[in-house]
Amino acid sequence: MRDAIEYWSVIAVRGIARRLPEPVINAWGAAIGMLFYIADWQHRRVALANLEQCFPNKTAAERRAIARATFKHFGRVLLKLLTFSTLTPEQMMAAAEYEGDERVRLAYAKGKGILFFTGHFGFWELHALAHAVKLRPIGVLARALDNARLNQLLESVRSKTGNHVIYRQGAVRRVMKTLAAGEGVAMLIDQHMHSPDAIWVNFFRRPAATTSTLAALALRTGAAVIPVFAHPLPGGRYKFVYESPVEPPLSQGPEAIREFTQRCT
């Protein structure tokens, strides 16, 4: 019953949001984010604890303001993903500015594939959709949602412009196949990991465990590694940025993987 309620709630939200003007969508998304900030005390506590570690010189009130703004942003990300995915490719292009896409074309031309990476920063989900429209479809590395119907909906959204979703089970083989075909794969590297492939790096002056998969795949395949970011612009538009490729290490082994991961972080 809960899964059905969640699924139909998202369907209803998408149906309403796609008909609303940009300022209303932003306000509604912020309200959704604040609702989660108030109700989800566990993630609120984690956010505040992390902010205390990262910004010890800020006051508790300042850190709470940052946490509230972050939750509001994620609420907007949810609504923007649901509405952006309903646009036509022409409408997506009209809402987008691209910076550094020539770097991507040069990397594609080498024929070894590209590993795109980012964090939960800006509008990363929209970047994947817009990338396929401007350049070519990619594989998107993701974790399946517990709600099967909602996961199916999210997969249809992520694949709207031709991308394909790569889930963690059997992911390495599918990623290798995609890279061998000279195509791209996108992944997030900013979550604390507990899996066997986790590697420890310094992040905001303290150790943090993140995935070593990005570095290991880059060393194994020779694929270019390109950081990407998606920034909001006025009027409901976005700037999708491709930074310069991260230079690979000259040697192999665990320390090379850690060093490379540290530079990506």
Side-chain angles (χ1 to χ4, degrees), residues 76-89:
R76 296 189 190 100
V77 169
L78 170 62
L79 288 194
K80 294 299 184 67
L81 175 61
L82 294 175
T83 55
F84 192 79
S85 63
T86 65
L87 301 180
T88 65

Side-chain angles (χ1 to χ4, degrees), residues 5-157:
I5 292 173
E6 291 176 346
Y7 172 79
W8 287 111
S9 296
V10 172
I11 291 293
V13 167
R14 182 175 66 172
I16 297 170
R18 65 187 299 182
R19 294 171 172 81
L20 297 177
E22 187 71 18
V24 177
I25 293 174
N26 285 330
W28 191 11
I32 292 174
M34 273 304 297
L35 178 62
F36 276 94
Y37 177 81
I38 295 169
D40 190 354
W41 64 269
Q42 289 180 313
H43 285 98
R44 182 178 70 243
R45 184 176 63 183
V46 170
L48 292 172
N50 286 339
L51 287 169
E52 185 175 8
Q53 291 285 336
C54 297
F55 304 110
N57 295 326
K58 291 187 178 295
T59 66
E62 289 174 321
R63 292 194 293 267
R64 285 195 298 270
I66 295 172
R68 287 193 296 270
T70 301
F71 274 74
K72 288 179 181 179
H73 170 69
F74 283 124
R76 296 189 190 100
V77 169
L78 170 62
L79 288 194
K80 294 299 184 67
L81 175 61
L82 294 175
T83 55
F84 192 79
S85 63
T86 65
L87 301 180
T88 65
E90 292 76 19
Q91 289 171 325
M92 289 184 185
M93 288 288 289
E97 290 183 13
Y98 296 84
E99 180 181 306
D101 49 299
E102 69 281 354
R103 297 178 178 129
V104 179
R105 293 189 178 89
L106 289 173
Y108 273 132
K110 295 179 180 179
K112 293 185 177 181
I114 305 175
L115 289 161
F116 300 99
F117 75 93
T118 190
H120 292 84
F121 177 88
F123 293 86
W124 70 94
E125 291 275 13
L126 276 59
H127 197 159
L129 292 170
H131 175 94
V133 173
K134 177 72 171 181
L135 296 159
R136 62 173 81 170
I138 57 175
V140 179
L141 202 61
R143 182 185 72 84
L145 300 179
D146 295 330
N147 185 327
R149 297 184 71 183
L150 208 53
N151 187 71
Q152 186 177 16
L153 174 63
L154 181 57
E155 183 172 337
S156 70
V157 167

